Amino acid sequence: MRLSRNFTRTSKQTPADEVARNAQLLIRAGYVYKTMAGVYSYTPLGLRVLENIKQIVREEMNALGSQELIMSTLQNREIWQETGRWSDELVDVWFKSKLQDGTEVGFGWTHEEPIVELLRSYLKSYKDLPISVYQFQNKLRNELRAKSGIMRGREFIMKDMYSVHASKEDLDNYYEQVIEAYKRCYDRFGIGEDTYVTFASGGAFTKFSHEFQTICEAGEDYIYLHRGRNIAVNEEVLDEAVAELGVDKSELEKVKTAEVGNIFNFGTQKSEEMNLVFTGEDGQQHHAYMGSYGIGITRVMGVIVEKFADDKGLVWPENIAPAKVYLVQIGNKSGASADDLYQKLQKAGIETLYDDRNERPGMKFADAELMGIPYRVTVSDRLLDDEKWEIVSRSNGEQCLLTTSQLLAKLNNHVNRVGERR
Ligand code: ATP
Ligand code: MG
């Protein structure tokens, strides 16, 4: 993309009404636009980052045999009454409204009940099972506090997946596969090392649910870590989990984290509440086994900002950066060389932001840093005779001079084209 065509502007000013560093930087760099507290729009640049995160998740969920769908935001009151969760006391984040005829509707904060309703109208026999479906969907939650920028939105993107099985063994087995797939997702986002599978509350059938918690100062949670045994426990279930796992509380380290995912093994609880049944091999009706698996897509983006940003601005890991290269041209003789390099980069499939604006070099360099693009490549008059260009890494500052072909080879090596991973 040519930056002269980009309609957003970078800003040196920190937005006055924003306390979260992730939102401050994303707004300053032109990735998000704040609509109101806890509500953000994503510009073309911001959308590229979201799409990269989603694509990694999509590949991993597809590899689990799950199928993508998209469900409605407006939801029926009746289906939530089946499980008692229409109640404002039980769920305190509902946004609700009424149709013109007075019919009450809710705005989806999760899709557990709606997916059961959808699937029960199709599910007949054990031969239909297992079923796994997922979506990327805007969830609406009337959150009390929204001070964490895009890490806690009143409107946010979640990947939610639901699986239905004929037996407990099949669900348990799938649940373990999901844990492994989630680990691959967080690895590919660049936060795998700091992300822990964490014992948490909310298990219906099993004692615990599992959260994926990433060490992050800006997070709103605490977990208790046993680094030696690689065990992590959420504050809410600390006593219970410690007893269960046979660990000594004094050996646990308390760390600040952000919840980036949460998975639940419902067993037959939901299908009993909502009558999700199938005919088994024995000809009898059975309640289906069900799991529910979420990843906070926009929260992940916020966590990545918080973890990697420095005093100059954003620092995107290569896998999710909106572009690999920020191309800067300096001087009045090297324009054609820069255009030529831009074309070659595009041809090689290396996403490039070409700063072809009529601005001072200092401003272009500052924007390259603020926007967090992994490699800045500078084509300048000074290096024209050698036909070498300067490449600087955003994450570690390493720089060197390379010819066009050396540059393409280096960047191609680094291009981790998401689709080619598996
Ligand atoms: P929290 O405890 O942070 O409020 P939750 O446990 O209510 O989150 P879940 O219902 O488990 O959230 O949703 C699945 C995932 O969606 C979470 O693990 C989190 O990553 C993400 N998420 C939840 N609420 C928000 C929000 N308000 N803004 C952004 N992401 C969110
Ligand atoms: Mg949760």
Side-chain angles (χ1 to χ4, degrees), residues 141 143 150-154 156 158 221 259-262 264 294-296 298-299:
R141 293 189 184 181
E143 302 276 1
I150 66 165
M151 289 170 64
R152 181 172 298 284
R154 297 200 160 98
F156 63 96
M158 194 200 289
D221 292 359
E259 182 194 322
V260 290
N262 199 179
F264 299 84
I295 290 184
T298 40
R299 182 175 291 177

Side-chain angles (χ1 to χ4, degrees), residues 258-412:
E259 182 194 322
V260 290
N262 199 179
I263 63 174
F264 299 84
N265 182 325
F266 286 138
T268 54
Q269 190 213 10
K270 278 250 175 271
S271 48
E272 281 172 33
E273 287 171 341
M274 295 187 70
N275 202 34
L276 177 66
V277 293
F278 65 93
T279 310
E281 247 174 304
D282 55 6
Q284 305 290 309
Q285 293 283 92
H286 298 271
H287 286 114
Y289 290 80
M290 205 183 149
S292 163
Y293 320 87
I295 290 184
I297 300 293
T298 40
R299 182 175 291 177
V300 162
M301 178 169 166
V303 167
I304 289 167
V305 171
E306 295 279 350
K307 287 186 76 70
F308 299 113
D310 61 19
D311 54 352
K312 298 188 185 89
L314 300 166
V315 181
W316 296 115
E318 286 189 40
N319 273 354
I320 61 157
K324 291 290 179 281
V325 173
Y326 191 104
L327 178 60
V328 179
Q329 186 263 322
I330 297 178
N332 43 31
K333 286 189 282 188
S334 56
S337 299
D339 283 351
D340 180 58
L341 181 57
Y342 179 53
Q343 260 154 34
K344 289 194 168 115
L345 286 164
Q346 279 188 305
K347 241 194 180 150
I350 300 165
E351 288 280 359
T352 302
L353 295 185
Y354 182 15
D355 197 343
D356 58 341
R357 299 173 302 171
N358 192 14
E359 297 286 356
R360 288 173 298 105
M363 161 137 185
K364 294 186 177 184
F365 289 162
D367 276 357
E369 284 172 334
L370 176 60
M371 289 164 82
I373 309 304
Y375 295 99
R376 187 188 77 204
V377 172
T378 309
V379 171
S380 67
D381 290 1
R382 191 167 59 86
L383 297 165
L384 205 53
D385 290 344
D386 290 352
E387 294 204 342
K388 282 191 170 178
W389 324 121
E390 181 196 67
I391 176 165
V392 184
S393 156
R394 177 68 180 90
S395 59
N396 60 24
E398 268 175 27
Q399 58 185 80
C400 54
L401 298 178
L402 298 176
T403 63
T404 298
S405 58
Q406 287 169 335
L407 195 78
L408 290 173
K410 177 181 168 75
L411 290 167
N412 253 327

Side-chain angles (χ1 to χ4, degrees), residues 76-344:
N76 286 321
R77 184 187 61 179
E78 290 73 22
I79 43 171
W80 287 92
Q81 283 173 330
E82 292 180 32
T83 59
R85 292 212 290 174
W86 182 251
S87 143
D88 291 336
E89 282 79 60
L90 224 62
V91 178
D92 58 4
V93 293
W94 271 117
F95 279 110
K96 292 174 179 170
S97 188
K98 284 197 177 99
L99 302 182
Q100 303 261 7
D101 68 2
T103 308
E104 278 191 287
V105 291
F107 296 94
W109 62 281
T110 176
H111 284 72
E112 281 162 357
E113 276 77 343
I115 194 69
V116 174
E117 192 225 13
L118 186 152
L119 292 176
R120 75 183 169 195
S121 68
Y122 296 106
L123 180 59
K124 294 268 178 305
S125 142
Y126 70 94
K127 290 180 195 146
D128 301 329
L129 296 173
I131 298 170
S132 179
V133 289
Y134 71 97
Q135 62 178 347
F136 297 98
Q137 223 261 0
N138 271 25
K139 305 295 188 224
L140 299 176
R141 293 189 184 181
N142 200 349
E143 302 276 1
L144 189 60
R145 291 169 298 121
K147 291 200 164 70
S148 296
I150 66 165
M151 289 170 64
R152 181 172 298 284
R154 297 200 160 98
E155 185 177 331
F156 63 96
I157 302 175
M158 194 200 289
K159 183 283 300 179
D160 43 332
M161 180 168 80
Y162 307 94
S163 73
V164 184
H165 306 263
S167 69
K168 178 180 180 308
E169 294 67 44
D170 202 48
L171 169 59
D172 290 349
N173 178 35
Y174 195 75
Y175 191 88
E176 290 304 318
Q177 287 181 42
V178 175
I179 291 180
E180 294 309 313
Y182 269 43
K183 287 183 188 164
R184 284 192 293 273
C185 288
Y186 300 111
D187 278 344
R188 292 174 68 182
F189 302 153
I191 56 175
E193 263 180 38
D194 281 344
T195 302
Y196 288 85
V197 184
T198 305
F199 290 91
S201 65
F205 202 67
T206 48
K207 199 175 246 165
F208 303 109
S209 80
H210 291 93
E211 289 173 348
F212 291 76
Q213 294 275 5
T214 307
I215 298 176
C216 179
E217 266 312 303
E220 296 183 19
D221 292 359
Y222 285 99
I223 62 167
Y224 294 79
L225 254 187
H226 194 297
R227 292 196 192 256
R229 287 179 56 190
N230 200 26
I231 289 174
V233 177
N234 167 322
E235 207 156 34
E236 288 171 333
V237 297
L238 183 58
D239 292 328
E240 215 181 338
V242 161
E244 179 101 344
L245 301 165
V247 291
D248 193 337
K249 246 192 196 173
S250 66
E251 291 171 12
L252 299 176
E253 185 187 335
K254 184 179 181 181
V255 289
K256 195 103 180 276
T257 54
E259 182 194 322
V260 290
N262 199 179
I263 63 174
F264 299 84
N265 182 325
F266 286 138
T268 54
Q269 190 213 10
K270 278 250 175 271
S271 48
E272 281 172 33
E273 287 171 341
M274 295 187 70
N275 202 34
L276 177 66
V277 293
F278 65 93
T279 310
E281 247 174 304
D282 55 6
Q284 305 290 309
Q285 293 283 92
H286 298 271
H287 286 114
Y289 290 80
M290 205 183 149
S292 163
Y293 320 87
I295 290 184
I297 300 293
T298 40
R299 182 175 291 177
V300 162
M301 178 169 166
V303 167
I304 289 167
V305 171
E306 295 279 350
K307 287 186 76 70
F308 299 113
D310 61 19
D311 54 352
K312 298 188 185 89
L314 300 166
V315 181
W316 296 115
E318 286 189 40
N319 273 354
I320 61 157
K324 291 290 179 281
V325 173
Y326 191 104
L327 178 60
V328 179
Q329 186 263 322
I330 297 178
N332 43 31
K333 286 189 282 188
S334 56
S337 299
D339 283 351
D340 180 58
L341 181 57
Y342 179 53
Q343 260 154 34
K344 289 194 168 115

